[in-house]
Every structure is written in C-alpha cells, then in structure tokens.
Amino acid sequence: MWAALREARVQRCVGLGAVALALTALTVVLAGRGGDADATSMWISAVSAFVSVCALAADLLREPAADPEAGPERRRRAADELSRAVLAQWAPEARRRRLQDPAPLDVRWTRVGPPLADHEHNVRPGRPVPAPRDGDQRLDRIAGTFRDIPSRRLVVLGGPGAGKTVLALRFVLDLLGTRRSTDPVPVLLPLASWEPGTVGLRAWLAERLAAEYRPLAAVRGGRTLARELLDEGLVLPVLDGFDEIPRESHARALSRLNAELDERLPVMLTCRDEDWGRALGEAGGDVLTAAEVIRLRPLDPETAREYLESTARPIGGTRPNGRPVTVWTAVLDAPTAPLTAVLRSPLMVALARTVYGDTSRDPSELTEPDRFPSATAVEGHLLDSFVPAAFADEDGIWRPDAAHRWLRCLARLPSGARATWQLGWWELPAAMPPWLRVLGPAGSALLATAAVLVPLARYGGGVVGNWDSVLSAVLNFAGLLAGLCFGLALMLPAEPSAPPGPGQLTRMALTMTGAATFLALVTGWCVPPLVSARLGAVITPRPAWFLNGCVFGLVLSLMFAVGGLPRRPLPLSLPWTGSPSGPRAVRALGGVILFAGLASYGYFRAAVPAMTCCLAGLLLTLAGQPRRGARGVEPYAGPAAVLRGFARGLGRGLLACTLIGVCAGAVVGGVTGAFAAYEIHRPAGARTTAGAEVDGWRLGMTDGRRSVESVRPRRVELVSRTALARPFAVHQGARISWDERRGTYEGTVRIQARGDRWVLVWRGTPQSWRGRAVDAHNLVVALPRDVELWLVHRGTGAVVRDAVEPFVAFGVLVGAIGGCASGVCLALNTPADTIRAADPPSTLRTDRAATLARSAVAALVAGGGCLAFISATGRGTTLGTMHTEVWVPVGTSALALSAWGRLGTARIWLAVTGRAPWRLMRFLEDAHRRGVLRHSGALYEFRHVRLQERLAARTTEETAAGRPDGRAPAPRPRDSPGRHQPQP
C-alpha cells in the first residue's frame, strides 16, 4: 500500500480527492448556516477558483513524462538534430564570408614536429609518416587529414590573419557534409569563454552546448542531453582561439585538455604560433598528447592572384592561358614589393576582394609608389576601405560613410581592464560625460515614476495625493530629480559588489543625514511647521513642493544603495535559469499573482493593488519563458537559496533603512521644529492678545485653550480623501487636492484646540456631520500670519515634538519599504555570465526580463509592506498617502537604474551627438552579419585587432574637420600576443 502511495498518479488522485472533500464540506457548512446566499456563492466561487489555480500550478510544475524510447536511439536522434542546427548556424556564416563564391582561398599548411607537437610514434603509433602528395595540404583536404589521424586530435597554428577561423569553419562544414548518423557532430566553439582554472573542459562544453542549442539542456537522470552526447562520443569540439584564453591560464588549459580528452572525445584546436609555444614552455614542455600539429603557411603570389582574379569582374579580353582579363590582371602582372608582401596574408586578400568588388574602385591605385610606398600603407588603405565596402549594397539601411563614422567612434570607446578592445552594450554609458551618467538615469527614473504617479493622482480615486497645480507638480518633480542626482552620485557604490558593509552603511547614513540637515535648514527658514508637521492632505507652499521632492529622491537613493544597486550595473540573469523546473515554477507563481490581482479587484475594487499584482504576475510569467543562452554567474541553488537571499536582504534593509530613516527624520523634525519654536515664541505685538481683532479674526479663549473666530462670514467646505479615514475642512478655493466634497458651510468660523489638534465644530451640511468636530489643520495653515502664531502658541517641547513625530514615522515607513526593496534586490541580483553568454542580444533580452521581473516584485513586496504598515497605524495618521507615493517609485525607478535602463540614456546621447545610430543594437548586429564585428560571449569584437586599431586612430583630415566627440583618442599600445585577440 505504501509503495502505491509513492506513485505520482496515486498522489495526484489522493490530493484532488482531499480538495474535493474539503470543498464539499465547506459548501455544506455554509449552506447549513443559512445567511446571505451571495456570500455563500462568493466563498464557493473563490475556493473553486483557488483549486483551479492550484491544479494549473501543479500541472506546470509537473515533470514531463519519461521518454519511452531507448537511450541510444534518443541520443542518436538528438545528434542528428544537433548536426542540422550547426549547419543552419554556420552555413550562413560561410556565405557571409563568401567561402563558396566561387571557392575558399586555398590556404596550405605543413606538419610540425617536436617541441610544438608530440613524438611521431605517439601521434601515429606503428605507422610511418605519410609522404606528402600533391593536394594533401590544402584547405579542402583538412577533413580528410583529420580522419587520417589515429587519435583524432588536430592543432592548427598560424599567425594573425593566417586564416585559422576560416579553416575551422570549412572543417565543420566538410564534416557535416559527409557525416553519417553514428559519426560525432562537429561544433565550432570560441575558447575565449572557457575559464580552465574553475571549470573543467567537459563541464564547459556541456554548458556551451546547452546554451547554444536549447534542446540539449533537457535533463535526464541528473545529466543534460549535451553531457550525454559528449560522454557517448557524439560531439567533436572545434575549439577556436586557444590564444584568447588569458595567458596565465594557458598551462592549466593544456593540462585540462590532456586530462579530459579520450578516444570518445576528439578535438580540433586553433592557436597562434607564438602563444602555443609559450603555453608549452609554461607547461614544462608538455604537449597535447598524440595530437597532430600543422602550421598554416603564408600565401604564395600565384595562389593570391588566382583567387583575386577568379572573384573579380572581367573587363574584356583574354589572357594567354585563356582566362578573362580582370581589373586585377594588370596589377598582379607587375605588382610592387609592398603589395606582394601584403597579399601573402589571407586576411588582406579577403579585404582586397571586398574593397575592390565595388565597380567604383580600381585596384590599380595600389601600384602607385607615391601613395603606397610600404606594406604598412597598403594595409592601412585596405583597412580604411573595408567598412564602407562592407556596407555598400543596395539593400543596406545604413549609409557606408555613416557606418564608417559610427564604427570609428565605437572603436575609440574605452575597453575597461580588458587587454584588447571589446564592447559590452552595458558599458556604453561610459561614453557619456560624467554629469550625464548621473542625470540620465535620474531623469529616466523621474519619467518612469511620473508616468505612473500622474495617472494615479488624476484618476486613482485618491490613492495618491494630487498636486494643487501644474506648477506645484513641476516643482515637486524637479526636487525629485535633484534628490535622485545627489543620492545616485554620492550614495550608490560605483561597481557591483557584495551587499554594503558597516563602513559603507555608515557613510550612507552620514551622507543622508547631512543632506537631510541641509534640507531641514532650508525648510525651517522658508516654511517652518508652525501648526505641526503633516506629510499628506495639507496645504503646501510652493517651496515645500520642491523640498518634498528632494526628500523623496534621497529616500529612493538610500533604498537602492542599501539594496546594493551600483552606478555601473552589470547585466542581470534570472535566478531560475539553471533549473529544469525553475521556469515552470516562476510561470506558476506569476499565474497565482495574476489571479490574486484579478480577485482583489473583483471582490474589493482595490484598483492599485490589483494593477500591481496583475502587472507583476504578467511580468513573472514572461520572465519564466525559456531563454536561449541565458546563464547566471552563480549556479542554480533552488528556491530555498532565493528565499534565504530575500530574508538576508529584508533583515539588512529593515535595520539599515529604519535606523538611517529614523535618524534623518529626527534631525529634520528637530531642526524644523526649532525654527518653528523660535518663530512662535518671538515677542508678540500688542495686537495679538485675547479679545483683539486681527485681520478679520477675533482672538479668544475657549475652555482655557486659545481659539479664533472669524468676524465676517466665510465659506468653508468639508472634503475627504480616499486615503484618510475622516473628512477635513478647507476654505473654499484653497490650493489643495481632495477627492469628494462632503458638504459646505457659510458663516462665522471658530477654530479651537482640542487635544493635540485643531478642530472646527461643523455646522453645515451634511446633517450627519453637524455638531461633530472636524479637522481644521488646513484652516489654521491658511490663517493670517499673526493670527496663526497666536493660535498655535504652545510650549517649545510640544512644538518640537509635533514636528519630530511625523518625520520619525516617515523614517519607519522608509525602513519598511526599503527593507522589502533591499530583500528583492538581493534575492534577484544574479549577474549574467557575460563570458559564456550565447551572444549580446540574448544577454540584453535576459537583462530586460530580469529587470522588469525585479522591479515588479519589488513594487509588489513593498506594496504588501505598506499595507501591513497601514493596518498597524491606521488611515488617519499624518503620513496621509505617503505609503503609495513611496512604494510606487521603488518599482519604476529600479527600471532606470538597471543596465538595460541606463543603455536607453546612452543610446539617446550617442545618437544625438552623431556617434551612433538610433537603432544601435540593430546596427551592431548588422555589422556582425557583414563580417565587420564578431561575438565573444556577450561582447562585440572587431573582425581583427588591426581593424579596430585602424578605426580608432584619428586621421589628419578628421582632426582638422573635427568630430562629434571632440576628443583625440588615447594612444593604444599594441596588445601583447595571446590575450583575447580576434582572429580573421
């Protein structure tokens, strides 16, 4: 019996049966009680909907059924699918490089022996070295050469631009063309993303295969399908660019190769000559065991001539050998020495073909000795002409001269600490001036916040306090921008790091308190809180709107600083990326939250919570979709690790934000209260005594407390706001927002103190409020200055206390919301693995999804914290609608402070200044498609380092004419060999 209960089908039946019994029992109990039939129906509907959502979540989380096919057959089928995917990936690349138009450049090679290769009796045990035959050492024989090696291990050496990558590409396509179903699938993988010091060869290969070819990420028996294919010998790794591994890791990488390769895992490897020799020296003379090593030879003049003439346009006539005369015939009949030297490089021959494939150019100019006195001059000319030629086609959407100018500007961007130029899209904000790196994200956060708050204030039914005028809104947002700029510049850490420690938190507290003290001094001088400090539903002078915005900006910056958001963020990944069931769990969670939002609106008409839940649920559902090439730096650790991260961030955020918020609030309240006490206790004139009449108000005493009464009739309105439990009185036409007019009164008005507040005994409509005391805070604020000072006169301690208490309460609110935001930031802060990423666009898409999910969850959790805070303090507090006005910007501002958000500002800046097109990412991908750029993980590289250096160099004409950037590039030393250098 117990064994049967362990079956999944039996467990589902038992669970559904228990839920059905519970639902039946609930129906019987509710029906037996009688009462309201609508309430009973509502409960039954709610429980039924909840059961439906649970069933949907269970279905989403359920693991797929086991594949009934045998393991070998499944792996064979997966290998066949992989071969088709590899062909679909690299055949277009071969066409872009024009390898079949009409034929690849015939690069030849020679075999290399010790010390760069193993002993011959290890490479070919018991076999003599085959005598070279005509045609054996050609590009089209590379696949056959590999098959003749007993160990199936081949190392290809060559200098920069020798054609190693093209040979590897041709090797993959040749093997795919003759592959049988039992043969391994050749897969071309750049080695730059391998970190041999931390990841084994097989583990890295499995990760790359699963990232590049998503079906291989399926898990069976604890292993991915990619790992199964590797272990069964159905994958042949073609590892391009051993020299692109950091030099200090070369020896470790060679050791890993020898330790993990076997007869079931063949390999082909490319590397530069000098780097291979250096790696063997650092490894103590060790070599790649049993591997054949070949070296690519420079092109001979006849090979270069045959290739260029066979790809050039004829101009009429025939040569003695019967071939047509082309634009290259006269040039190559009598080439200059510099041109002959340049055309020994396959890279330069390929550039020459591209540049002079355009009918507007004539290669005869290369023979002019005055223009091209050296090989360097010829190379520079070809490099300068390559980009315009690559973009010169009728179907292109970019002008060649514009593309050349944009790539020049991009080539001059700094590359950080990397040894060679590589461009990450998240590094583009570094091209902006320092002031714009702060103002840009702050402005984006302001726009995102305004896009949410303004509609809520206008149409949200009072959940957010509206501004009393357009000018007040402008001043408020200007203050928010100023506070954000100050906070982002001085409180956020510069680089991504671990959560801030005690030292950083202390600096944040001092910065926040110092800024708050300055704002308190300005507030106390301009608008001291004579009545008492109130943060919502109060008449606000124009200067106070700006100062309030500054405070909000500082508070948001503090929350993000405690949460660990940096000024230069890295792309984010999704914490559930590495889990086979993680995306399904996230989609299920998104569905539950979406249902909760719809239910809250349907049953309670709670618009803002419902909208937040629906948006968060939708974004989580989208973030849970499978993503190609998405991978985080940290391995997947399960929901428990995410919850532990949230708990740590929540505790840290609650403690830090509450302490800093309360301290800063106490300082602000104390300083402004001191100004108010000084103003109240200044010597009064003779007019301000009991019984006097001042500016239309008679001063008096009521029950031993000061009061004032209007001499002339005045029109007063009783208004209410959704966020407040009780209505309040205002003068007709007062500059304050309200949601509903409850009644009016016209006559003499008496304002008096009652307890710790000022009230008015209502004598107008509606009848239900007549004779009841209503809040008269806004009537007191609108009194003439001398009348107000006389009415609010009280002890210094009471004045300061009335000013401090609301700000301290606001500090507690900041702690609650900041703790929630910090917890979410820490739990969902999974940096993307930019080295092992599939390509830059996939990293951008994943960061966008992670940013949207993090912002939505942060707003959702912060909103829940606010609801708990409101439940604990009640709706009648002096905080008014501060809860909503603080937690809503938590989600919107987090968007602008992400790598994706900052990229938007950088793209606008680069486009406006002429350094890049508006559709920058599309342009970069088009440059990659045209062979100008290439991918290295999530980074862009130029096709060759010499092309980047040439583009980055400033010409004499350009210096004279000036450019949008207006700065000369810093001198770039040539990169030391063997460190992340692109290949042709």
Side-chain angles (χ1 to χ4, degrees):
M1 183 180 103
W2 298 111
L5 286 176
R6 285 192 288 267
E7 296 182 7
R9 182 181 62 82
V10 176
Q11 291 176 356
R12 287 197 296 272
C13 291
V14 171
L16 290 176
V19 171
L21 288 175
L23 182 59
T24 304
L26 177 64
T27 304
V28 171
V29 171
L30 292 175
R33 288 183 176 181
D36 189 358
D38 292 338
T40 301
S41 301
M42 185 193 72
W43 275 103
I44 295 175
S45 300
V47 174
S48 301
F50 178 74
V51 171
S52 301
V53 171
C54 290
L56 174 63
D59 182 68
L60 291 173
L61 294 173
R62 181 163 53 90
E63 293 289 342
D67 192 345
E69 297 183 8
E73 176 62 21
R74 181 171 58 85
R75 288 189 289 268
R76 184 199 61 77
R77 183 161 47 86
D80 291 341
E81 292 290 338
L82 176 62
S83 67
R84 287 190 284 271
V86 173
L87 182 63
Q89 178 184 10
W90 292 111
E93 180 67 18
R95 290 193 294 271
R96 282 195 292 268
R97 293 174 179 261
R98 306 172 77 176
L99 298 186
Q100 309 299 330
D101 182 20
L105 187 59
D106 189 13
V107 180
R108 297 176 179 254
W109 68 82
T110 57
R111 288 186 173 87
V112 178
L116 298 180
D118 203 355
H119 296 291
E120 190 59 38
H121 62 268
N122 291 331
V123 178
R124 302 175 183 273
R127 302 183 189 180
V129 179
R133 295 175 297 176
D134 184 36
D136 273 357
Q137 298 175 339
R138 298 166 59 101
L139 181 63
D140 56 3
R141 280 287 300 152
I142 185 64
T145 300
F146 179 81
R147 294 191 187 98
D148 292 339
I149 303 172
S151 65
R152 300 291 179 92
R153 301 181 187 180
L154 177 64
V155 178
V156 180
L157 304 180
K164 300 182 292 296
T165 299
V166 171
L167 183 142
L169 177 57
R170 179 62 186 270
F171 173 78
V172 168
L173 296 178
D174 287 350
L175 286 184
L176 289 175
T178 59
R179 178 183 176 271
R180 296 169 298 181
S181 61
T182 56
D183 292 341
V185 181
V187 181
L188 181 58
L189 297 171
L191 266 176
S193 62
W194 183 28
E195 298 174 345
T198 58
V199 181
L201 175 66
R202 289 176 180 265
W204 174 77
L205 289 172
E207 290 175 358
R208 293 302 307 144
L209 289 171
E212 293 278 358
Y213 311 101
R214 291 303 300 169
L216 299 185
V219 177
R220 296 291 189 277
R223 289 191 305 170
T224 62
L225 188 53
R227 188 58 184 259
E228 290 187 47
L229 296 184
L230 285 169
D231 293 342
E232 294 299 323
L234 292 175
V235 174
L236 193 169
V238 180
L239 307 178
D240 184 30
F242 183 87
D243 50 279
E244 295 183 15
I245 299 174
R247 180 183 300 177
E248 59 272 12
S249 300
H250 282 173
R252 180 59 176 165
L254 188 60
S255 175
R256 291 269 195 186
L257 287 167
N258 281 325
E260 299 192 40
L261 293 176
D262 56 24
E263 66 277 0
R264 299 177 72 88
L265 186 61
V267 70
M268 176 184 173
L269 183 73
T270 70
C271 185
R272 292 188 178 182
D273 305 67
E274 60 271 22
D275 292 280
W276 185 252
R278 185 182 303 107
L280 299 186
E282 294 173 353
D286 196 9
V287 295
L288 185 59
T289 305
E292 180 86 84
V293 180
I294 63 175
R295 177 185 286 118
L296 301 182
R297 298 187 302 189
L299 295 175
D300 57 78
E302 187 58 33
T303 300
R305 174 175 187 146
E306 182 178 350
Y307 178 79
L308 289 174
E309 291 216 71
S310 65
T311 59
R313 61 186 183 278
I315 58 176
T318 58
R319 296 167 52 194
N321 59 6
R323 295 190 176 184
V325 176
T326 70
V327 293
W328 282 100
T329 301
V331 176
L332 298 178
D333 280 342
T336 62
L339 180 60
T340 302
V342 167
L343 295 182
R344 291 180 65 82
S345 167
L347 171 65
M348 291 300 160
V349 171
L351 292 181
R353 176 190 177 179
T354 301
V355 170
Y356 292 103
D358 186 358
T359 57
S360 63
R361 288 181 171 272
D362 186 355
S364 61
E365 63 182 354
L366 297 176
T367 61
E368 299 177 10
D370 294 336
R371 290 183 60 190
F372 306 106
S374 64
T376 302
V378 177
E379 287 185 357
H381 172 71
L382 293 177
L383 291 170
D384 288 340
S385 305
F386 171 66
V387 172
F391 282 87
D393 60 347
E394 296 180 356
D395 299 331
I397 60 175
W398 322 103
R399 297 196 322 273
D401 58 332
H404 195 206
R405 182 179 72 251
W406 294 330
L407 287 171
R408 277 186 176 275
C409 294
L410 294 175
R412 293 167 183 159
L413 294 179
S415 189
R418 289 186 287 271
T420 59
W421 187 92
Q422 291 177 311
L423 176 65
W425 56 264
W426 61 94
E427 297 172 339
L428 287 172
M432 299 188 297
W435 60 270
L436 190 56
R437 295 174 208 166
V438 175
L439 182 61
S444 300
L446 175 68
L447 292 177
T449 300
V452 177
L453 282 183
V454 171
L456 282 178
R458 183 69 178 84
Y459 306 106
V463 294
V464 173
N466 200 356
W467 297 269
D468 53 46
S469 65
V470 175
L471 178 58
S472 297
V474 171
L475 288 173
N476 190 226
F477 283 124
L480 179 61
L481 179 64
L484 278 173
C485 288
F486 179 87
L488 299 184
L490 298 182
M491 283 196 282
L492 263 62
E495 301 289 347
S497 60
Q504 291 175 294
L505 291 175
T506 301
R507 286 193 293 272
M508 291 179 197
L510 293 176
T511 303
M512 182 71 179
T513 304
T517 302
F518 174 78
L519 292 178
L521 291 172
V522 177
T523 302
W525 178 264
C526 297
V527 283
L530 302 179
V531 184
S532 64
R534 181 175 288 188
L535 305 181
V538 62
I539 296 176
T540 306
R542 291 277 163 69
W545 281 114
F546 178 81
L547 297 172
N548 290 346
C550 292
V551 172
F552 272 84
L554 290 173
V555 166
L556 289 173
S557 302
L558 171 67
M559 294 178 183
F560 295 132
V562 173
L565 268 65
R567 294 199 300 271
R568 290 190 285 272
L570 294 175
L572 291 177
S573 180
L574 298 164
W576 48 84
T577 298
S579 166
S581 60
R584 289 195 298 273
V586 172
R587 293 197 297 272
L589 177 61
V592 172
I593 295 175
L594 181 62
F595 167 76
L598 295 175
S600 65
Y601 184 77
Y603 291 120
F604 307 109
R605 297 297 174 183
V608 175
M611 182 181 65
T612 304
C613 289
C614 291
L615 183 60
L618 179 61
L619 292 177
L620 278 177
T621 303
L622 295 177
Q625 300 300 317
R627 298 184 179 276
R628 173 180 174 269
R631 188 184 188 280
V633 173
E634 300 295 334
Y636 173 76
V642 176
L643 292 177
R644 285 195 299 270
F646 175 74
R648 290 195 302 270
L650 179 63
R652 176 188 296 270
L654 283 174
L655 180 61
C657 290
T658 302
L659 288 177
I660 298 175
V662 169
C663 291
V667 169
V668 171
V671 172
T672 56
F675 274 92
Y678 171 78
E679 186 75 11
I680 289 173
H681 289 276
R682 281 195 308 170
R687 296 175 59 222
T688 55
T689 59
E693 184 177 319
V694 180
D695 296 332
W697 292 85
R698 183 176 294 107
L699 313 184
M701 302 291 292
T702 302
D703 299 330
R705 305 287 297 272
R706 297 192 180 198
S707 64
V708 296
E709 184 176 2
S710 63
V711 177
R712 296 181 301 275
R714 297 180 179 271
R715 187 175 178 85
V716 180
E717 297 178 335
L718 184 67
V719 298
S720 63
R721 289 182 56 171
T722 304
L724 299 179
R726 298 169 63 86
F728 56 93
V730 296
H731 288 291
Q732 185 181 31
R735 198 160 42 84
I736 186 174
S737 65
W738 43 267
D739 302 319
E740 181 184 1
R741 181 187 289 111
R742 304 285 291 273
T744 60
Y745 167 72
E746 186 170 1
T748 58
V749 176
R750 176 185 292 273
I751 305 173
Q752 61 191 45
R754 180 172 297 181
D756 58 350
R757 61 195 185 105
W758 283 265
V759 299
L760 165 71
V761 177
W762 189 250
R763 291 184 288 173
T765 58
Q767 185 70 28
S768 58
W769 277 93
R770 186 167 296 176
R772 300 172 61 180
V774 298
D775 181 76
H777 184 100
N778 289 292
L779 297 179
V780 177
V781 173
L783 289 173
R785 185 70 167 179
D786 290 338
V787 178
E788 180 185 5
L789 288 173
W790 190 87
L791 178 62
V792 301
H793 191 282
R794 58 203 187 279
T796 301
V799 175
V800 174
R801 183 181 65 251
D802 289 343
V804 168
E805 286 180 352
F807 285 106
V808 170
F810 183 69
V812 176
L813 175 65
V814 168
I817 300 177
C820 296
S822 176
V824 172
C825 289
L826 186 58
L828 300 183
N829 185 27
T830 304
D833 190 340
T834 57
I835 296 179
R836 285 176 273 185
D839 50 50
S842 67
T843 309
L844 177 59
R845 290 191 296 269
T846 302
D847 179 73
R848 180 172 59 232
T851 298
L852 290 172
R854 184 177 68 177
S855 299
V857 174
L860 181 66
V861 176
C866 281
L867 291 177
F869 190 87
I870 294 172
S871 300
T873 60
R875 295 169 58 200
T877 66
T878 56
L879 291 177
T881 58
M882 290 294 106
H883 317 84
T884 309
E885 294 167 22
V886 173
W887 73 258
V888 167
V890 167
T892 55
S893 299
L895 295 175
L897 301 182
S898 65
W900 169 61
R902 291 173 184 266
L903 173 64
T905 306
R907 291 168 67 172
I908 295 173
W909 168 258
L910 291 172
V912 168
T913 57
R915 302 179 184 181
W918 286 99
R919 293 172 290 179
L920 176 57
M921 296 302 295
R922 182 176 178 181
F923 170 72
L924 293 176
E925 282 302 296
D926 196 28
H928 168 258
R929 183 180 63 84
R930 296 173 183 272
V932 179
L933 298 177
R934 70 176 194 172
H935 295 160
S936 177
L939 301 166
Y940 288 101
E941 295 176 339
F942 278 95
R943 179 178 180 180
H944 199 279
V945 67
R946 293 159 73 184
L947 177 60
Q948 184 271 326
E949 290 174 345
R950 187 70 184 182
L951 289 170
R954 183 176 293 274
T955 63
T956 304
E957 294 81 2
E958 189 178 18
T959 303
R963 278 299 174 204
D965 51 53
R967 295 182 301 173
R972 290 177 176 266
R974 286 193 64 87
D975 300 311
S976 58
R979 177 86 175 179
H980 301 290
Q981 294 194 9
Q983 299 190 18

